[in-house]
Amino acid sequence: MIKGVNRQVIEITETGSEYFEKMLLVVKPQYSSMNLKKLKKKAGTVACGISAPSPPPPSKKRRFSFWASAAKLSAAAGAGAALTAVLIRL
């Protein structure tokens, strides 16, 4: 909802987004007397900057290589073999 009576609003209907139909930009009072073409150009620049998709954040989960997984499995097998050897001698 836009409050106020003395506001200049620029409506952008071509957002370039599949999610949003239009954008409403409220012009600051000190720039309301500015040339309308210049205001529309600035509004288009702002709309393009907002609608540009940002890249997704990098995943925190790391993939271990085949060799790292093989080393872990070998270490676990070795620990199991050592524990079995200790239990057999008792």
Side-chain angles (χ1 to χ4, degrees), residues 61-74:
K61 185 178 179 182
R62 292 185 179 179
R63 286 188 176 180
F64 289 101
S65 68
F66 171 76
W67 296 111
S69 297
K72 283 184 178 183
L73 279 172
S74 297

Side-chain angles (χ1 to χ4, degrees), residues 17-48:
S17 172
E18 63 185 65
Y19 299 107
F20 302 106
E21 185 176 324
K22 62 183 168 181
M23 299 171 96
L24 297 174
L25 299 172
V26 180
V27 179
K28 289 183 178 181
Q30 63 264 29
Y31 298 110
S32 62
S33 62
M34 199 172 172
N35 186 1
L36 186 61
K37 280 188 175 183
K38 200 170 192 179
L39 279 176
K40 284 185 178 182
K41 185 176 179 180
K42 288 285 186 184
T45 304
V46 169
C48 288

Side-chain angles (χ1 to χ4, degrees), residues 3-22:
K3 295 182 179 180
V5 184
N6 298 325
R7 299 277 182 166
Q8 184 177 2
V9 178
I10 295 179
E11 179 181 7
I12 300 173
T13 55
E14 295 178 21
T15 61
S17 172
E18 63 185 65
Y19 299 107
F20 302 106
E21 185 176 324
K22 62 183 168 181

